[in-house]
Amino acid sequence: MRTGKISESVLKRSVLKKIKVHREEVENGAGVGTDCAVLSFGMGFDTVLSTTPVTAPMEEVSSYAVATALNNIAAAGAEPVGVMLAFLLPEGTQEESLQVAMEQAADICRICGVEIIGGHTEVTPAVKSPVLTVTGVGKRDAVQAGMLCGIKPGQDIVISKWIGLEGTVRLAKGCRQELCTRYPVRMVEEAAGYDKYLSVIPEAATAMKSGVCGMHDVSGGGVFAALWEMAERAGVGLEIDLKKLPVKQATIEICEFYGLNPYELSSGGCLIMTTEHGDALAAALMREHIPAVLVGKTTEGNERVIYNEDEKRYLDKPQTDQIYKSKLFIDDSMFA
């Protein structure tokens, strides 16, 4: 199988088809493009769960994994409440490194008002690099959730902040010295600082009050993968203006340096939203100082089209995240 998330066909054939038990409490379970499970126990609130594994250096792994799990919860229209952390650490990991990772996770949770409610920590020869799996837990008002009418044809598609943020941060931090041989130190440092944008909790909360119909956070595989997953899950087509997809210049420069596609680069911190009134939603987000832009529409049928001026192309099924093709993963010393 390919590196990164398994392909949609493998997911359907070897994972989803093996799930035989379905309970009435499970309002939303496993599926293509489904980042969260939703459990309903009939008390006016839903329980929302999400699991995210991340491989990264110890000094950074918590920031990416915790942010992604909480983003999934927020994109489901829920309030994040707690996280469980499961660390698999390579032999030779020092206790001080674990302390740094835990302090980082605790800081993120403090800012978001989320409690660390449990987990597991293990040193094992089975991994060469730290792996952190975060299970996020949230609560959702069942009545408010009912306002999410779902993704349907004819809706506007709005994207917050910029694509490729998480991948840009990881490359800027992990390959800082090499990047500084070509680009100004100031640009590389600025790119490394994009980690302050990795949470989508603020825009999800604003969107819930501003007529959003559906939300999907952009993570592994980049914006192209997220658009495909969103459309596949909802059974709709897409028309996207490539020129309108928001991207930082530093992301373009770093991707060019390593020969990567920014549209297929991990994009934590970016949220896709559908709505009947895209301009109004974008304006509401901008009033909260959250950059947002209308990039296209959902359509009838299954055609998922990307327009680049006069050029028309069809969106492919999600590809391997470009981060796995970068020096971060090709050169194991980056994780030492």
Side-chain angles (χ1 to χ4, degrees):
M1 293 185 289
R2 71 187 190 191
T3 303
K5 286 166 57 173
I6 59 174
S7 68
E8 183 179 313
S9 58
V10 173
L11 174 64
K12 290 178 177 178
R13 181 175 62 247
S14 299
V15 178
L16 300 180
K17 281 185 68 175
K18 305 303 180 183
I19 299 173
K20 305 299 183 183
V21 176
H22 302 280
R23 295 182 58 102
E24 61 179 16
E25 298 95 337
V26 180
E27 186 174 307
N28 187 44
V32 176
T34 302
D35 292 328
C36 290
V38 179
L39 307 181
S40 178
F41 299 102
M43 296 180 288
F45 284 92
D46 299 328
T47 300
V48 182
L49 304 166
S50 176
T51 297
T52 300
V54 168
T55 302
M58 276 297 283
E59 65 271 18
E60 301 168 19
V61 68
S62 292
S63 62
Y64 306 130
V66 174
T68 301
L70 297 182
N71 286 349
N72 288 340
I73 298 294
E79 174 191 354
V81 173
V83 293
M84 301 184 74
L85 311 177
F87 285 95
L88 294 181
L89 306 177
E91 292 178 315
T93 301
Q94 300 298 311
E95 182 178 351
E96 290 78 6
S97 296
L98 176 60
Q99 291 177 348
V100 169
M102 279 302 303
E103 288 169 359
Q104 187 179 75
D107 284 343
I108 297 170
C109 289
R110 175 182 52 78
I111 293 169
C112 297
V114 170
E115 183 174 346
I116 298 174
I117 57 177
H120 175 77
T121 304
E122 178 180 335
V123 176
T124 171
V127 299
K128 296 187 298 180
S129 307
V131 179
L132 173 57
T133 299
V134 179
T135 299
V137 182
K139 68 174 183 179
R140 189 174 75 177
D141 184 296
V143 175
Q144 187 179 31
M147 296 169 59
L148 288 168
C149 64
I151 300 168
K152 300 174 183 177
Q155 294 174 351
D156 291 331
I157 300 173
V158 175
I159 286 185
S160 72
K161 299 203 288 284
W162 307 275
I163 68 167
L165 281 177
E166 181 184 331
T168 301
V169 172
R170 297 182 71 169
L171 290 164
K173 289 185 175 182
C175 307
R176 187 188 311 255
Q177 186 173 353
E178 184 175 50
L179 287 169
C180 287
T181 64
R182 175 165 175 178
Y183 300 113
V185 173
R186 184 178 66 178
M187 189 206 86
V188 178
E189 294 292 339
E190 179 182 333
Y194 291 164
D195 55 3
K196 64 187 175 185
Y197 298 123
L198 294 184
S199 174
V200 302
I201 295 175
E203 50 257 58
T206 298
M208 286 293 290
K209 297 180 289 186
S210 306
V212 72
C213 298
M215 295 183 283
H216 189 79
D217 66 301
V218 188
S219 53
V223 69
F224 281 174
L227 286 167
W228 175 278
E229 291 168 353
M230 181 190 75
E232 183 71 12
R233 179 184 174 191
V236 298
L238 299 171
E239 289 184 355
I240 302 295
D241 186 339
L242 185 73
K243 296 290 187 182
K244 291 185 177 179
L245 292 176
V247 57
K248 286 279 196 179
Q249 185 62 33
T251 299
I252 294 173
E253 299 287 352
I254 290 173
C255 284
E256 181 179 299
F257 185 76
Y258 289 113
L260 306 177
N261 184 342
Y263 303 103
E264 296 176 353
L265 181 65
S266 48
S267 297
C270 180
L271 184 66
I272 300 175
M273 297 154 279
T274 68
T275 176
E276 303 292 343
H277 307 287
D279 289 331
L281 176 56
L285 290 163
M286 294 293 285
R287 285 195 294 271
E288 298 297 324
H289 309 290
I290 301 168
V293 60
L294 198 162
V295 300
K297 280 185 170 292
T298 58
T299 60
E300 295 276 2
N302 292 317
E303 284 197 346
R304 289 138 198 186
V305 183
I306 305 291
Y307 290 99
N308 185 8
E309 296 181 343
D310 295 331
E311 180 186 349
K312 175 181 177 181
R313 56 163 288 192
Y314 292 93
L315 191 63
D316 294 326
K317 290 184 178 181
Q319 305 298 308
T320 298
D321 194 306
Q322 293 283 292
I323 199 75
Y324 292 109
K325 300 179 181 180
S326 73
K327 189 171 182 178
L328 286 177
F329 285 84
I330 295 172
D331 183 356
D332 288 338
S333 66
M334 289 293 175
F335 290 97

